[in-house]
Amino acid sequence: MDLRELYQEVILDHGKSPRNHRFPERHNREGRGYNPLCGDKIALRLQLDGDTISDVGFVGQGCAISQASCSTMTEAIKGKTVEEAEALFLRFHAMVMGEDGANDDSDSLGKLVVFAGVREFPMRVKCATLGWHTLNHALHEEGGEAKTE
Ligand code: ZN
């Protein structure tokens, strides 16, 4: 199966049945994100115990890419430290932006690597990164709403 087929499969699967699609009972961080170009909205809540993201969940509406990306993100960051999650965000961001050398590191991204395909579609990059921007927002306790700009 090539990356394009895998991309279709992950978007369909996670778009239809997003993982961690609920708010955790315990949470001490939250963020909201909005992508005005596509109309995608995400609300993310997470529980930080010390430095570890012990639980995370989201609710949202919007295109399949935004919801699937947020779903795969919650899977990827659950149980990770803040530092690890931020490192993952940087690698993910470099990949979807098509930055030089980003592909060399694709192994460490696991399933997230399927989103490499969005780099050809700048509008879609914003859909794919919305969840991650919202995470960043939640971790740093900024007020208001994360934007994809
Ligand atoms: Zn979208």
Side-chain angles (χ1 to χ4, degrees):
M1 195 182 273
D2 66 19
L3 198 60
R4 187 167 286 271
E5 287 172 308
L6 203 61
Y7 171 75
Q8 299 286 359
E9 190 176 281
V10 170
I11 301 290
L12 272 177
D13 175 22
H14 284 259
K16 246 187 233 165
S17 34
R19 315 302 195 270
N20 303 305
H21 200 245
R22 40 111 194 119
F23 285 142
E25 277 178 33
R26 293 168 60 233
H27 69 273
N28 50 18
R29 293 285 189 284
E30 62 178 57
R32 283 177 298 124
Y34 177 51
N35 172 17
L37 285 172
C38 185
D40 309 315
K41 282 184 178 172
I42 278 166
L44 185 76
R45 289 185 184 174
L46 47 97
Q47 175 69 28
L48 268 189
D49 288 318
D51 217 19
T52 302
I53 300 168
S54 41
D55 202 1
V56 55
F58 78 104
V59 296
Q61 55 189 55
C63 70
I65 293 174
S66 66
Q67 304 304 305
S69 177
C70 197
S71 170
T72 52
M73 178 192 78
T74 61
E75 280 191 323
I77 63 170
K78 204 166 171 177
K80 294 245 173 18
T81 65
V82 170
E83 200 179 332
E84 287 167 337
E86 286 178 339
L88 206 54
F89 176 37
L90 290 179
R91 288 200 293 270
F92 182 81
H93 199 257
M95 177 187 74
V96 296
M97 297 302 283
E99 285 170 16
D100 289 345
N103 282 341
D104 305 345
D105 199 28
S106 60
D107 282 354
S108 60
L109 284 164
K111 191 188 284 171
L112 300 174
V113 79
V114 303
F115 290 96
V118 303
R119 74 171 68 129
E120 292 161 49
F121 311 98
M123 294 274 292
R124 290 315 198 182
V125 169
K126 300 198 183 295
C127 302
T129 54
L130 177 63
W132 290 92
H133 284 295
T134 308
L135 169 68
N136 206 33
H137 210 71
L139 288 175
H140 296 286
E141 296 184 279
E142 296 155 12
E145 201 166 58
K147 291 272 164 41
T148 46
E149 301 304 318

